[in-house]
């Protein structure tokens, strides 16, 4: 039974879906985000969250990680820093672990807060600080604006996506 599950883990449909989500993540991140040297506000989290809801933590980590690597290679915004890829993978894992099966409000809120307040605020601030040789704490304070904007936006969008997925699943059952 376990061998059968692992054998069928990566189906053709899942591969195509993940490829589309990676492409969408690149477009949303590189072309449809507001970006300054120390912050980025946009909807690049949507494909990662969708992968998390549909397929779980590994798939979401793949979408986040490959989206970051491919986007950085094809459409660089600055020098490539692998720390941001690590953060993107971790964000996918957090979303996947918390949103794969059950998506109650507290789980969505926890996923968004961990991603924004721990990974984005603290970890990405560290990578930016190292990349541009800037002081960590003053940089962190300026990045609080990004978190204040993105926490409610991500919470609302993920909850709306959950409702849409419920409707879609109910429509397929009929």
């Amino acid at each position: 039974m376990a061998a059968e599950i692992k054998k069928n883990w990566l189906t053709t449909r899942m591969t195509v879906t993940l490829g589309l989500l990676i492409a969408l993540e690149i477009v949303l991140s590189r072309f449809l985000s507001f970006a300054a040297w120390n912050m980025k506000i946009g909807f690049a989290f949507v494909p990662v969250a969708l992968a998390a809801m549909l397929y779980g933590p590994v798939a979401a980590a793949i979408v986040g990680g490959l989206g970051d690597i491919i986007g950085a290679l094809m459409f660089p915004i600055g020098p490539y820093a692998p720390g941001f890829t690590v953060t993107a993978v971790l964000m996918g894992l957090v979303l996947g672990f918390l949103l794969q099966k059950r998506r109650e409000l507290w789980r969505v809120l926890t996923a968004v807060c961990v991603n924004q307040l721990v990974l984005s605020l603290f970890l990405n601030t560290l990578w930016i600080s190292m990349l541009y040789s800037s002081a960590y704490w003053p940089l962190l304070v300026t990045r609080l604006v990004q978190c204040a904007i993105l926490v409610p936006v991500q919470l609302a969008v993920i909850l709306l996506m959950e409702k849409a997925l419920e409707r879609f699943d109910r429509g397929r059952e009929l």
Side-chain angles (χ1 to χ4, degrees):
M1 179 72 173
E4 182 180 325
I5 292 172
K6 287 186 181 205
K7 179 179 149 188
N8 294 331
W9 180 79
L10 191 63
T11 63
T12 304
R13 171 179 270 176
M14 183 178 175
T15 303
V16 170
T17 303
L18 293 181
L20 290 170
L21 291 174
I22 290 167
L24 183 60
E25 194 278 338
I26 292 168
V27 169
L28 291 173
S29 175
R30 302 293 166 167
F31 302 111
L32 300 176
S33 293
F34 167 76
W37 74 274
N38 64 341
M39 72 173 66
K40 184 188 262 187
I41 297 173
F43 290 94
F45 69 92
V46 171
V48 180
L50 194 53
M53 291 178 185
L54 293 174
Y55 301 115
V58 173
I62 289 169
V63 170
L66 285 180
D68 185 72
I69 291 170
I70 295 168
L73 293 175
M74 292 179 68
F75 311 104
I77 294 172
Y80 175 71
F84 294 114
T85 303
V86 170
T87 302
V89 168
L90 290 174
M91 286 179 162
L93 289 172
V94 167
L95 287 169
F97 281 122
L98 287 167
L99 303 181
Q100 181 179 15
K101 300 280 186 211
R102 294 166 283 147
R103 294 179 282 274
E104 295 96 4
L105 177 61
W106 74 269
R107 293 175 77 88
V108 175
L109 185 60
T110 301
V112 168
C113 286
V114 167
N115 277 352
Q116 283 303 306
L117 300 176
V118 176
L119 297 176
S120 180
L121 185 61
F122 289 107
L123 197 53
N124 275 351
T125 301
L126 175 65
W127 307 138
I128 294 168
S129 173
M130 290 169 57
L131 189 62
Y132 294 105
S133 299
S134 10
Y136 180 82
W137 292 106
L139 182 59
L140 184 127
V141 171
T142 65
R143 289 177 44 78
L144 285 170
V145 173
Q146 173 183 309
C147 288
I149 293 168
L150 285 178
V151 166
V153 167
Q154 286 189 5
L155 183 62
V157 169
I158 291 172
L159 289 172
L160 287 172
M161 286 176 20
E162 164 60 18
K163 296 279 188 212
L165 283 176
E166 283 178 11
R167 283 186 181 170
F168 181 74
D169 285 342
R170 271 190 263 129
R172 285 186 5 188
E173 292 172 0
L174 296 177

